[in-house]
């Protein structure tokens, strides 16, 4: 039991370490700065969305619409470029994400719709809107040279996207561990009724969590569209599973009340390392999804086993 608890406690570091060791053995040059920099840039898309989902899961909620918001925000930012210009269009794209989050929050908090059902419905709606306004075809932006600036690597490892992702992780870590509102989020996720009774506005925190999560999905979608100079209704169609896997691998509990920014960072890097290594080995995309799903199931089962055993031991100790 003690060994199992220690494995569960440090599972993020263990899984990331094992993944890096195996990947470096299978892929020559995997640990070079160039490869790590490219992997970090690619993982930034998942990472930025995962930051928002971490906050929501800690609050005991979930958002399945992140991938659709990602696509819709990117399309808006590209389609409005001819009339508004690059930066104003990008801002409207991000605001589109925030509006999508507000809708999710109203459904979940105002109308008390289960967040799983509400965001599943809005996911279908947002994806359909993306297909409708583009006639299911990719759309191109006006400034192809800007994508080169976004892809530029600084200090041999950082791009604009990866630097933003890491800065956001540090800010989230500070907020969760050093502020009262960050601590209140854990209370809301552990027991919303008790948190409300102690003076915490649970509904307001959950609503803002939805807005925050979708805004970050919008930011990731806008950055992706600017980097590729393209908006597509197909963007982000497989992101949701990868994002949830990354956050859960990082130790955030699906039932709420537990999670950390650094854990999410570890989970994102683990998923990115796995994906990069499998792509270097020409593993088909559907097999990569199977691997991510199996890891997700394994970790959830491990987490439940440890908690169930711990409760049984506590009851036995109290009875004795």
């Amino acid at each position: 039991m003690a060994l199992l608890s220690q494995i569960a406690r440090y599972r993020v570091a263990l899984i990331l370490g094992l993944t890096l060791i195996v990947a470096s053995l299978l892929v020559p040059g995997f640990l070079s700065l160039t490869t790590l920099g490219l992997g970090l840039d690619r993982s930034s898309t998942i990472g930025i969305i995962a930051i928002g989902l971490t906050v929501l899961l800690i609050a005991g909620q979930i958002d399945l619409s992140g991938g659709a918001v990602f696509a819709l925000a990117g399309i808006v930012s590209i389609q409005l470029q001819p009339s508004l210009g690059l930066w104003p269009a990008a801002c409207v794209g991000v605001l589109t994400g925030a509006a999508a989050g507000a809708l999710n929050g109203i459904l979940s908090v105002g109308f008390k719709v289960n967040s799983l059902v509400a965001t599943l419905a809005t996911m279908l709606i947002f994806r359909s809107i993306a297909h409708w306004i583009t006639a299911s075809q990719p759309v191109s932006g006006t400034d192809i040279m800007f994508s080169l600036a976004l892809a530029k690597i600084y200090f041999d490892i950082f791009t604009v996207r990866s630097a933003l992702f890491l800065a956001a992780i540090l800010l989230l870590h500070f907020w969760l561990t050093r502020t009262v509102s960050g601590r209140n989020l854990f209370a809301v996720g552990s027991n919303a009724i008790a948190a409300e009774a102690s003076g915490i506005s649970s509904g307001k925190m959950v609503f803002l969590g939805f807005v925050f999560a979708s805004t970050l999905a919008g930011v990731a979608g806008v950055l992706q569209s600017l980097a590729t100079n393209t908006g597509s209704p197909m963007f982000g169609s497989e992101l949701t599973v990868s994002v949830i896997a990354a956050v859960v691998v990082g130790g955030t509990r699906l039932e709420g009340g537990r999670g950390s920014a650094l854990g999410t960072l570890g989970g994102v890097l683990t998923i990115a390392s796995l994906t990069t290594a499998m792509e270097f080995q020409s593993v088909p995309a559907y097999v990569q999804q199977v691997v991510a799903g199996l890891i997700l199931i394994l970790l959830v089962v491990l987490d439940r086993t440890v908690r169930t055993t711990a409760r049984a031991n506590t009851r036995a100790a109290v009875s004795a």
Side-chain angles (χ1 to χ4, degrees):
M1 172 60 193
L3 177 61
L4 199 60
S5 298
Q6 291 300 314
I7 291 175
R9 184 177 181 181
Y10 297 106
R11 62 182 181 178
V12 184
L14 288 172
I15 292 172
L16 178 59
L18 288 172
T19 303
L20 290 175
I21 291 172
V22 173
S24 62
L25 292 175
L26 293 177
V27 181
F30 182 82
L31 295 180
S32 68
L33 280 180
T34 302
T35 305
L36 291 178
L38 291 174
L40 183 60
D41 180 57
R42 289 186 55 189
S43 66
S44 298
T45 295
I46 292 177
I48 291 172
I49 303 174
I51 288 172
L53 187 62
T54 299
V55 170
L56 260 184
L57 285 180
I58 291 175
Q61 306 294 322
I62 193 167
D63 184 358
L64 300 180
S65 67
V69 173
F70 174 85
L72 184 60
I75 288 170
V76 169
S77 69
I78 290 294
Q79 281 201 322
L80 292 180
Q81 282 185 8
S83 55
L84 297 181
L86 190 146
W87 289 111
C91 291
V92 176
V94 174
L95 290 175
T96 301
L103 177 59
N104 287 334
I106 290 171
L107 291 173
S108 299
V109 178
F111 292 95
K112 307 297 181 186
V113 181
N114 183 286
S115 61
L116 183 72
V117 178
T119 58
L120 178 63
T122 56
M123 176 190 74
L124 298 173
I125 294 171
F126 298 150
R127 183 71 67 184
S128 298
I129 294 174
H131 278 281
W132 173 52
I133 63 178
T134 61
S136 299
Q137 297 296 319
V139 292
S140 298
T142 58
D143 189 357
I144 192 171
M145 297 304 295
F146 189 76
S147 62
L148 299 178
L150 275 181
K152 185 177 179 180
I153 298 177
Y154 299 90
F155 306 110
D156 293 329
I157 192 166
F158 295 111
T159 62
V160 172
R161 281 193 296 183
S162 60
L164 283 174
F165 164 54
L166 294 176
I169 280 288
L170 291 177
L171 287 174
L172 178 63
H173 175 69
F174 176 81
W175 181 63
L176 290 176
T177 59
R178 296 286 188 272
T179 66
V180 174
S181 59
R183 289 295 184 189
N184 288 345
L185 185 71
F186 288 95
V188 171
S190 297
N191 190 326
I193 297 175
E196 193 78 36
S198 62
I200 300 172
S201 180
S202 300
K204 181 180 178 182
M205 292 204 75
V206 171
F207 176 81
L208 292 177
F210 278 108
V211 174
F212 179 68
S214 287
T215 300
L216 287 190
V219 169
V222 169
L223 287 174
Q224 177 69 16
S225 291
L226 291 178
T228 59
N229 197 41
T230 304
S232 170
M234 299 307 296
F235 279 178
S237 57
E238 298 177 351
L239 265 182
T240 302
V241 173
S242 298
V243 171
I244 292 175
V247 176
V248 174
V249 167
T252 299
R253 186 172 291 168
L254 289 171
E255 293 84 353
R258 196 183 77 181
S260 71
L262 298 182
T264 294
L265 174 63
V268 169
L269 295 179
T270 299
I271 296 297
S273 301
L274 272 173
T275 304
T276 303
M278 287 190 286
E279 286 181 351
F280 269 97
Q281 294 299 310
S282 301
V283 175
Y286 62 86
V287 177
Q288 296 178 28
Q289 295 289 325
V290 170
V291 173
L294 289 175
I295 291 175
L296 189 61
I297 292 171
L298 177 64
L299 289 173
V300 171
V301 170
L302 175 64
D303 185 62
R304 287 183 183 276
T305 302
V306 170
R307 280 191 296 152
T308 303
T309 308
R311 286 172 185 164
N313 289 342
T314 302
R315 282 195 293 268
V318 171
S319 301

